[in-house]
């Protein structure tokens, strides 16, 4: 049975994939919490977090489960980790799904924003992070018409430990530019964008897809940055179709 490794974004945990885990029963779905997220604690200091250390942790988990080449499916920060896996462990990747993500590194201005958000988290806690991020991660349609999703995402952010939030922000700030990797990817790739994603805008994702040989591109309507929770049926259909072709 093909294994699919789901890698969550920031500041979320594996439950952002709950609809996919319930629906994609034809595959072996693996959806861990990254170190410092959800129920995964650990003793790392903030400066020890990086896309490389997240990737190492995931490979160790796959080793522990004796999983060979897997489909890796990452949303946003999860996508940045997919790029790291493709760079460093290409033999472990059967195919890749990139949702609501981008290849470029942070600009100097966005790096300053990471440090400011880390300071906010340290001084004011996860609630302040939720207040700042919620309007950016959800589509206008979701904010207006899906109160249960707004509540679920708020609660997910609130349960994240501040140490993990700060560590992830360091990893995000210092991540490498993955643009040069795109033309070298040789596995099947599905790119999934939300038409109202303010963090990874659809136009940039379509451009990213066109830089990857043979990549498929799917645009999810009325979706922001959290398409698997905002529009689960559409995302599941895209995943089912892609996985069914492998
Ligand atoms: C995420 O969802 O993982 C974050 O939006 C990533 C980012 O801020 O670059």
């Amino acid at each position: 049975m093909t294994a699919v490794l789901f890698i969550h974004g920031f500041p979320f945990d594996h439950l952002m994939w709950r609809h996919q885990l319930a629906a994609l029963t034809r595959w072996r779905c693996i959806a861990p919490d990254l170190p410092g997220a959800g129920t995964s604690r650990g003793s790392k200091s903030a400066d020890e977090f990086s896309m490389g250390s997240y990737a190492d942790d995931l490979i160790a988990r796959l080793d522990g489960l004796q999983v060979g080449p897997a489909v890796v499916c990452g949303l946003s920060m999860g996508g940045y980790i997919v790029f790291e896996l493709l760079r460093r462990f290409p033999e472990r990747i059967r195919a890749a799904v990139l949702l609501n993500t981008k290849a470029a590194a942070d600009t100097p201005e966005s790096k300053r924003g990471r440090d400011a958000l880390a300071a906010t988290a340290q001084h004011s806690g996860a609630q302040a992070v939720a207040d700042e991020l919620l309007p950016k991660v959800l589509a206008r349609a979701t904010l207006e018409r899906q109160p249960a999703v707004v509540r679920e995402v708020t609660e997910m952010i609130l349960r994240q430990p501040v140490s993990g939030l700060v560590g992830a922000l360091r990893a995000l700030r210092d991540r490498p530019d993955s643009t040069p990797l795109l033309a070298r990817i040789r596995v099947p790739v599905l790119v999934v964008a939300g038409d109202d994603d303010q963090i990874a805008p659809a136009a940039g994702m379509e451009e990213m897809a066109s830089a990857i040989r043979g990549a498929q591109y799917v645009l999810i309507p009325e979706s922001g940055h959290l398409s698997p929770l905002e529009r689960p049926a559409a995302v599941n259909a895209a995943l089912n179709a892609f996985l069914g072709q492998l």
Side-chain angles (χ1 to χ4, degrees):
M1 190 188 256
T2 302
V4 185
L5 175 67
F6 288 91
I7 313 174
H8 64 79
F10 168 87
F12 314 119
D13 59 37
H14 80 281
L15 286 174
M16 58 150 286
W17 302 112
R18 68 181 181 90
H19 298 291
Q20 290 64 50
L21 301 176
L24 299 174
T25 50
R26 288 161 58 205
W27 292 276
R28 180 178 179 189
C29 295
I30 302 164
D33 285 337
L34 290 168
T39 54
S40 164
R41 294 294 187 268
S43 53
K44 271 211 269 264
S45 74
D47 289 330
E48 289 172 296
F49 284 77
S50 65
M51 295 306 151
S53 71
Y54 287 134
D56 288 340
D57 178 82
L58 291 170
I59 290 295
R61 283 168 191 262
L62 293 182
D63 287 345
L65 295 168
Q66 300 189 323
V67 170
V71 180
V72 287
C73 176
L75 180 133
S76 199
M77 183 174 83
Y80 311 155
I81 298 169
V82 167
F83 292 134
E84 191 70 24
L85 290 166
L86 284 163
R87 253 191 305 273
R88 297 198 16 236
F89 302 99
E91 73 289 352
R92 305 297 293 265
I93 314 296
R94 163 86 181 81
V97 185
L98 297 164
L99 298 101
N100 307 88
T101 194
K102 52 196 170 203
D106 272 7
T107 61
E109 188 191 345
S110 37
K111 284 178 196 283
R112 284 192 290 277
R114 304 292 189 193
D115 290 337
L117 190 58
T120 299
Q122 276 164 328
H123 297 138
S124 311
Q127 178 71 59
V129 174
D131 291 344
E132 180 163 334
L133 291 186
L134 213 62
K136 295 184 190 155
V137 296
L138 295 175
R140 273 160 287 224
T142 306
L143 289 165
E144 283 163 19
R145 297 201 291 273
Q146 296 204 74
V149 174
V150 177
R151 227 176 6 256
E152 181 173 0
V153 174
T154 307
E155 284 165 6
M156 185 160 41
I157 298 176
L158 293 185
R159 67 175 172 257
Q160 304 309 316
V162 167
S163 56
L165 295 176
V166 173
L169 283 161
R170 298 267 200 285
L172 288 163
R173 181 193 65 188
D174 298 336
R175 74 184 190 279
D177 178 15
S178 293
T179 314
L181 172 74
L182 301 178
R184 301 201 305 268
I185 298 175
R186 290 291 175 268
V187 291
V189 173
L190 170 66
V191 173
V192 179
D195 68 349
D196 194 17
D197 185 341
Q198 299 171 54
I199 295 175
M205 292 208 62
E206 191 168 11
E207 202 178 311
M208 183 177 81
S210 64
I212 303 172
R213 194 169 75 175
Q216 299 173 33
Y217 174 75
V218 173
L219 180 66
I220 308 288
E222 298 202 327
S223 174
H225 191 56
L226 268 176
S227 57
L229 275 176
E230 294 179 84
R231 305 283 295 165
V235 169
N236 290 351
L239 287 173
N240 259 316
F242 177 71
L243 294 169
Q245 293 161 16
L246 296 176

